[in-house]
Amino acid sequence: MSRTATIVGLQWGDEGKGKILDGLAGEAEVVVRYQGGGNAGHTVIVDGTKYVFHHVPTGILYPGVLCAIGNGTVVDVPALEVELDELRGQGVDLSGLRISSRAHCVLPYHRALDEAREQARGSAGIGTTKRGIGPCYADKASRTGIRVADLFDPPRFAELLRRNLDEKNAILVHLYRTKPLEFEPLLDEYRRAADAIAPYVDDTAALVQAALAQDKRVLFEGAQGVMLDLDHGTYPFVTSSSASSAGVAAGAGVAPDAAGRVLGVSKAYTTRVGSGPFPTELHGEPGERLRALGREYGATTGRPRRCGWLDLVQLGHAVRLTGTRALVLTKLDTLSGYGPLKVAVAYERGGRRIDTLPADARGWEELTPVYEELPGWEGDLVGTTDEAKLPPTARDYVRFVEERLGIPAVLVSTGPDRRALIQRGEVTGF
Ligand code: IMP
């Protein structure tokens, strides 16, 4: 039996991975974040207390679990310092935290560039979280990035910072007409923040490899979702990392088969923050009603999320790509009282039925979803843990989704609380 598992988002992020990860992290000995950065926002509610994570793996809530921020992530060091202070203030024990010395640092010029580029694109913008994620990963690929390890070599850090700042300031000032960033305050800010994270910095890949060699239970924690994956999402309206299970190997520093059993998380409907294709989006009142029912506002930016029907073409793509063996369906309770429910089962383009995703912008514009309608249900499902207590049409909805996707829905989430879960099958396989 596999001792590792990977949790990925099957849609455009915000599927409720935080809560699911929190539920499973207690069974794990090691939890690893392998991509993304402060753009992510995992929310976990324990006994009414809300914990919000941007960089730190949710497993930190369980004492004794080793929690790694892997080399494939990008770390906004001062923001991480604030996150750590907040968690400490909530009484969370951070002794299990490790931060990869190979992770790249997000610097204020990354955030400034993210913002300036978005502004320059106007209505054609990506709708990024403006956390500097894209520019930071771009520097990594350009081999000009600053890694966590560099923070602890002061002369080298100063030299890298100077070189990067000269280049970025030239772009910011001459191309985007914004103010240049100053070297000294930035140097001081990062030196201080580096001191704050120093106790946690380590070779996380080596630590995870050692845990695997000892047959420990390791959970890889994906952020965002497959449709935001740099290669396989709705490019260019994507994030800049590999948000699929394929990111595990490179981003955690392990062999490709270490990802183990893949659990894919999907809402019972679809949401998306930011711009880009969303074939099943509900516009106007129907979309607003779903947003209100699901309280669909971003955890990181507070932006209202776009809402729409579940899309089995999109989910099928995500399931195949990630090797998802078991589905986690979240927010089933939100659909209570909505009325009849539609699910996209195919797309039509130019009079032809298609069940794959277009690569080009025009392809997305020209397709129309083909829906099947299912009866809705009434009643408050929040907190239900027993499948037998679900209205029959809610049970049918879950079965319809798992049958069409060809994988079991092993967990169904019925509310924000940690315990609001219906277990229908083997989850991690630990
Ligand atoms: P970036 O990752 O900030 O560059 O944003 C790129 C796209 O990914 C935008 O559409 C964001 O709204 C979206 N995005 C990034 N992180 C998340 C997330 O954690 N949840 C949902 N959407 C996200």
Side-chain angles (χ1 to χ4, degrees):
M1 185 146 301
S2 168
R3 305 274 281 177
T4 65
T6 296
I7 303 223
V8 288
L10 295 178
Q11 299 171 307
W12 278 277
D14 308 321
E15 297 89 353
K17 296 179 294 294
K19 174 189 147 164
I20 304 302
L21 281 156
D22 168 57
L24 301 178
E27 294 174 32
E29 292 160 281
V30 181
V31 181
V32 192
R33 267 284 301 269
Y34 57 91
Q35 43 76 227
N39 50 351
H42 289 167
T43 309
V44 176
I45 297 172
V46 186
D47 296 326
T49 304
K50 184 168 161 181
Y51 302 88
V52 179
F53 300 91
H54 295 293
H55 298 87
V56 178
T58 42
I60 205 75
L61 295 178
Y62 294 91
V65 175
L66 184 81
C67 288
I69 299 177
N71 60 276
T73 65
V74 289
V75 179
D76 186 326
V77 184
L80 174 60
E81 186 190 358
V82 171
E83 188 176 334
L84 297 184
D85 282 344
E86 277 171 15
L87 288 170
R88 245 186 243 111
Q90 289 183 297
V92 178
D93 171 12
L94 298 176
S95 58
L97 181 66
R98 300 290 182 277
I99 302 161
S100 173
S101 41
R102 291 184 175 83
H104 278 248
C105 298
V106 178
L107 283 115
Y109 49 75
H110 292 130
R111 267 182 271 129
L113 280 172
D114 200 355
E115 176 128 24
R117 280 185 190 144
E118 280 287 278
Q119 208 154 14
R121 285 188 197 113
S123 61
I126 294 168
T128 72
T129 60
K130 296 187 182 157
R131 295 296 188 271
I133 306 297
C136 183
Y137 277 114
D139 275 1
K140 175 179 177 174
S142 301
R143 295 146 302 167
T144 53
I146 300 180
R147 304 203 293 179
V148 168
D150 299 322
L151 298 173
F152 301 98
D153 179 345
R156 180 174 162 76
F157 175 60
E159 188 197 321
L160 285 172
L161 185 64
R162 172 74 75 193
R163 221 187 292 154
N164 270 290
L165 204 56
D166 286 349
E167 185 201 11
K168 266 60 174 193
N169 273 340
I171 300 171
L172 286 168
V173 172
H174 298 294
L175 190 60
Y176 296 116
R177 310 276 169 215
T178 63
K179 273 204 269 174
L181 294 163
E182 285 179 51
F183 175 75
E184 289 297 339
L186 224 162
L187 186 69
D188 290 346
E189 183 188 18
Y190 271 71
R191 280 196 178 142
R192 192 191 36 70
D195 287 343
I197 67 160
Y200 308 106
V201 175
D202 214 324
D203 183 342
T204 55
L207 292 174
V208 180
Q209 288 160 15
L212 292 171
Q214 291 160 30
D215 211 19
K216 287 198 171 156
R217 296 183 297 275
V218 181
L219 192 61
F220 297 99
E221 169 176 335
Q224 288 88 41
V226 172
M227 299 307 291
L228 292 171
D229 182 276
L230 183 58
D231 284 271
H232 301 285
T234 45
Y235 192 89
F237 302 100
V238 293
T239 191
S240 297
S241 66
S242 182
S244 148
S245 50
V248 170
V254 295
D257 61 356
R261 179 174 160 91
V262 179
L263 294 163
V265 187
S266 166
K267 275 180 191 162
Y269 49 98
T270 310
T271 65
R272 164 163 214 173
V273 215
S275 316
F278 181 177
T280 60
E281 181 169 11
L282 282 163
H283 298 279
E285 190 276 336
E288 278 160 27
R289 200 148 55 88
L290 194 49
R291 182 180 308 129
L293 284 170
R295 285 185 218 94
E296 295 293 354
Y297 295 90
T300 299
T301 56
R303 289 180 291 174
R305 295 177 183 143
R306 299 157 66 192
C307 299
W309 300 120
L310 196 69
D311 183 344
L312 293 178
V313 183
Q314 176 271 301
L315 279 179
H317 163 82
V319 166
R320 289 189 297 277
L321 191 70
T322 53
T324 290
R325 295 280 172 268
L327 178 71
V328 178
L329 201 62
T330 61
K331 299 194 88 163
L332 189 71
D333 52 298
T334 295
L335 293 177
S336 284
Y338 192 82
L341 303 168
K342 287 186 183 175
V343 177
V345 293
Y347 297 152
E348 240 173 45
R349 186 180 174 194
R352 281 184 41 231
R353 238 171 126 107
I354 52 170
D355 56 11
T356 53
L357 306 186
D360 57 320
R362 189 184 305 158
W364 284 105
E365 282 160 22
E366 287 177 355
L367 65 79
T368 18
V370 178
Y371 289 111
E372 282 193 30
E373 193 171 292
L374 282 86
W377 57 86
E378 300 289 330
D380 187 1
L381 268 53
V382 177
T384 309
T385 54
D386 181 0
E387 189 175 358
K389 293 205 175 121
L390 288 180
T393 46
R395 257 180 278 156
D396 290 346
Y397 187 84
V398 176
R399 276 196 214 114
F400 179 84
V401 174
E402 62 181 358
E403 273 164 24
R404 291 300 176 98
L405 289 177
I407 48 167
V410 294
L411 281 176
V412 175
S413 170
T414 56
D417 193 83
R418 199 184 235 190
R419 290 171 293 252
L421 279 171
I422 300 172
Q423 186 163 353
R424 303 172 76 248
E426 180 74 60
V427 182
T428 56
F430 285 163

